[in-house]
Amino acid sequence: MRLNDARYSEILRRFATQRGLWAAVILGGALGGFGFYLVLRPANATEVPIRIPESSLDFGTRWLQDSLEIELPVHNLVGQTLDIKNISTSCACTVVDRSSLTLPPNEVRNLKVKLDVGRKRLHSLSFGEADFEAFVTMSVLNWTPSAWRWRIHGKIASPFTISPPRLAIHAIAGADLQPLTWNLTAAREVRNLQLQSATGVGDVHLDPVDPPHVYRLSAKPLKRTEIGRFVAQLVLQATTNAASSLPPTSVQIEGQIDPPVRFEPPVASMGSIEVGRSTTKEMSLVSVSGTPFTLPQMRAEATAGASVEWDVHQEGPVHTIRVSQKSNSVGVHTTVLKATVRMAQADFAPFEIQLPIVYRGTQIASASKATGRSVP
């Protein structure tokens, strides 16, 4: 019978307990250098304490969905209880249900892992299938080595490919947005493709071009008056040839809505200002669409030395603003002027825009330089 390393080492250690360490060393030496090493090495120097089967780490090919949950069976391979700590993952796309685990000898505990495969959405919608990879790590206390890592992997398949894969809109608040169109090609396994829901868009159509695999999707983003970023989406439901429904798949539209008014020029460059002195410059605040507006409030950053004058009662598409900036110290400085805008259109809520004010503070010229004469 041939003994493995761990069993061989255990026999020598028991011999050392009964007859003494030197007796075990002599026996190990008699059995060869390898036996001598097994006596002196740490008890767990080469043993693998835990195992996760590769069949659990490879989840194969799954249809695109918001999240996917898998279970990883953690096997204790040694005859002692293991304290497992610092269970973590390599990215935010993977979350484990616990951070520690106590594993009795030769037993198995399941670790639940939630995979945010939806993060691969745009890539998989472009190419039909995308690789997914993440790592789970854990530490076994009082073991050498203590840190262990496994690779979770698989493929995320989309029920269709889409062109263009991603749409980004840049528009002015209150303006009509142009209709959008996509070409969709369904996977071979898909028998039917239907529109399930839509948010942030209207006039949606999903028309078969060459059924059941080629479709044209069109939608018109709704007019928006809110300033900033937005996301609209269309949710599609696919059915396979086996008549089973796949997880819903969303097509996202990302956009940036800019204010309907703008400063001209966009930055107030005040030039060089001697410390303690101020400079005034006229600016214009212009309605992009020509819609009249009022300015109920304007203010500059506190203690920045900036002040502003404007006609609070004026209503029109263009406002003239006088910006004054006082130099407080030497160097290049930027302050911010903030204006509250109220559009004449009833569907607009008041919003705020900002104007950067940039100047260079310089030293006050000496009397000798200012007069050209020496000072006694």
Side-chain angles (χ1 to χ4, degrees), residues 280-283 298 307-310 320-324 337:
T280 301
K281 189 171 186 177
E282 284 194 351
M283 309 286 297
M298 296 189 75
S307 61
V308 61
E309 296 178 2
W310 79 102
T320 300
I321 301 165
R322 290 173 58 86
V323 180
S324 297
L337 177 68

Side-chain angles (χ1 to χ4, degrees), residues 5-6 9 13 37-49 78 80 142-146 148:
D5 294 355
S9 179
R13 288 181 183 281
Y37 157 75
L38 290 176
V39 176
L40 298 181
R41 72 169 185 167
N44 53 35
T46 60
E47 292 179 274
V48 176
V78 296
Q80 67 183 71
N142 303 317
W143 204 270
T144 304
S146 61
W148 300 84

Side-chain angles (χ1 to χ4, degrees), residues 242-317:
S244 60
S245 296
L246 300 179
T249 303
S250 65
V251 177
Q252 293 188 346
I253 306 167
E254 298 179 355
Q256 173 68 39
I257 301 299
D258 291 339
V261 300
R262 63 169 178 255
F263 282 104
E264 293 181 357
V267 177
S269 299
M270 311 301 283
S272 297
I273 310 174
E274 291 184 350
V275 174
R277 298 185 179 181
S278 62
T279 295
T280 301
K281 189 171 186 177
E282 284 194 351
M283 309 286 297
S284 294
L285 190 55
V286 181
S287 171
V288 177
S289 62
T291 302
F293 64 95
T294 58
L295 297 172
Q297 183 181 8
M298 296 189 75
R299 67 189 188 279
E301 287 183 336
T303 70
S307 61
V308 61
E309 296 178 2
W310 79 102
D311 185 356
V312 69
H313 301 292
Q314 180 183 355
E315 179 175 349

Side-chain angles (χ1 to χ4, degrees), residues 149-182:
R149 185 175 82 155
W150 291 267
R151 173 175 170 261
I152 302 172
H153 57 100
K155 293 183 179 295
I156 306 301
S158 171
F160 56 85
T161 59
I162 184 168
S163 177
R166 181 173 183 172
L167 286 177
I169 299 173
H170 202 162
I172 302 297
D176 286 328
L177 301 179
Q178 296 299 314
L180 305 173
T181 303
W182 299 265

